[in-house]
């Protein structure tokens, strides 16, 4: 007989494998503990904000609300801001307001982000006229608010076309710009409704949960393939943009609607800190993770206590 024993048959190899496994577990626990301590300390240290001057930033849904505020604030930081919206008139107003700041430069393009061919064609035009896009902010979205059985199949498809599929077409169009320069940052706006299911928002919640999964998986692909492109996903609470027509809340001061200006500022701050994810306000994210550790009935009790949600569209 030869010495061709398998590891399971050779006591020395089995001992070595066991010692290696124990060493790996100890190493993992040590790194895990150090990361928890480091993350906790970061809560009390003001992180340095990345300088964005000169970045070419594409933002969707810039005709009003958060998109308009994002365009204004990125321009004020010295960025070249490309404003995309299906409403040409309101988008032109945003561009005029942004250029009036006399800081960066804003450009406006009418675009239906659900139209893949139009998005791809526009990306080529932007590259030739303005330059390589280095930042993308997927902001465009719609939110019909009614029970599922009252929403038509056309409405549901439109929610997914705008809130989800448009992200894929935007990424397909502008990721090549980032690959060429070996740098870039993708920001996608999900929602607190992408963390917690809500009455009257079944299609909307489903679309925002989809954005969450998309961005988490994309982060993993970038990490495993060692691609130096950053990603950030944002979960805002209800924002006073007109989408949320019938907000409900028990504690009106503590849970008041966010202003578009405040929401945009928090989104840009998360981008500049290169956070992987951020809830606005921050405490909602911590509260959600904490509550998820408890039985479902306890989660429901807490949800009912806050009486927060969205009523039906009038």
């Amino acid at each position: 007989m030869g010495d061709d024993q398998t590891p399971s048959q050779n006591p020395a190899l089995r001992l070595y494998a066991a010692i290696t496994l124990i060493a790996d577990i100890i190493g993992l626990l040590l790194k895990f503990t150090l990361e928890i301590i480091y993350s906790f300390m970061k809560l009390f240290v003001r992180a340095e904000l990345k300088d964005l001057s000169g970045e070419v930033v594409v933002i969707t849904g810039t005709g009003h609300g958060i998109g308009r505020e994002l365009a204004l604030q990125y321009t004020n930081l010295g960025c070249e801001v490309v404003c995309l919206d299906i409403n040409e008139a309101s988008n032109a107003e945003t561009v005029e307001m942004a250029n009036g700041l006399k800081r960066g430069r804003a450009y406006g393009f009418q675009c239906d982000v659900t139209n893949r061919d139009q998005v791809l064609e526009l990306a080529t035009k932007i590259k030739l006229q303005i330059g390589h896009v280095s930042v993308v902010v997927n902001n465009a979205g719609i939110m019909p608010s009614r029970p599922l059985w009252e929403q038509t199949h056309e409405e549901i498809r439109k929610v997914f076309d705008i809130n989800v599929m448009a992200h894929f077409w935007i990424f397909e169009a502008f990721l090549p710009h980032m690959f060429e320069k070996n740098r870039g940052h993708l920001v996608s706006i999900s929602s607190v409704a992408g963390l917690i299911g809500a009455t009257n928002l079944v299609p909307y919640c489903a679309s925002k949960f989809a954005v969450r999964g998309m961005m988490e998986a994309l982060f993993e692909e970038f990490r495993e393939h060692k691609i130096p492109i950053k990603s950030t996903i944002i979960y805002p609470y209800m924002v006073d943009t007109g989408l949320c027509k019938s907000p409900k809340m028990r504690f009106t001061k503590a849970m008041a609607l966010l202003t578009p200006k405040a929401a945009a500022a928090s989104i840009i701050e998360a981008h500049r800190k290169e956070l992987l994810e951020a809830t606005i306000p921050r405490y909602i994210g911590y509260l959600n993770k904490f509550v998820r550790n408890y039985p479902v009935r306890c989660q429901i009790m807490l949800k009912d206590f806050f009486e927060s949600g969205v009523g039906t569209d009038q």
Side-chain angles (χ1 to χ4, degrees), residues 107-251:
Y107 309 84
F109 295 91
Q110 184 182 26
C111 181
D112 177 0
V113 291
T114 68
N115 186 323
R116 176 178 174 270
D117 292 338
Q118 189 179 133
V119 171
L120 295 178
E121 182 180 339
L122 183 57
T124 301
K125 182 187 295 186
I126 290 169
K127 183 178 178 181
L128 292 173
Q129 294 183 8
I130 303 168
H132 286 80
V133 170
S134 54
V135 177
V136 162
V137 183
N138 273 308
N139 165 72
I142 60 171
M143 190 181 77
S145 305
R146 288 189 302 282
L148 178 61
W149 50 88
E150 293 182 10
Q151 299 199 31
T152 67
H153 70 275
E154 292 91 354
E155 285 178 318
I156 294 170
R157 187 177 297 278
K158 188 175 181 180
V159 166
F160 275 83
D161 282 343
I162 296 175
N163 294 6
V164 182
M165 298 310 299
H167 290 239
F168 284 104
W169 312 147
I170 291 290
F171 290 160
E172 181 183 359
F174 295 107
L175 271 176
H177 294 214
M178 300 179 186
F179 289 151
E180 284 186 40
K181 296 295 184 179
N182 209 32
R183 61 181 294 271
H185 201 127
L186 306 177
V187 180
S188 281
I189 312 303
S190 178
S191 168
V192 167
L195 297 173
I196 306 164
T199 302
N200 296 319
L201 296 178
V202 173
Y204 181 78
C205 286
S207 71
K208 293 303 184 178
F209 268 83
V211 171
R212 175 186 178 184
M214 176 198 311
M215 293 300 287
E216 288 187 3
L218 191 56
F219 166 77
E220 281 300 313
E221 288 195 341
F222 288 157
R223 186 179 68 86
E224 292 190 12
H225 291 281
K226 295 180 172 57
I227 297 172
I229 294 176
K230 308 291 184 180
S231 64
T232 298
I233 182 165
I234 306 292
Y235 305 103
Y237 178 62
M238 293 182 286
V239 183
D240 189 12
T241 61
L243 278 183
C244 187
K245 297 179 178 62
S246 304
K248 298 188 298 182
M249 61 202 72
R250 181 176 184 178
F251 304 102

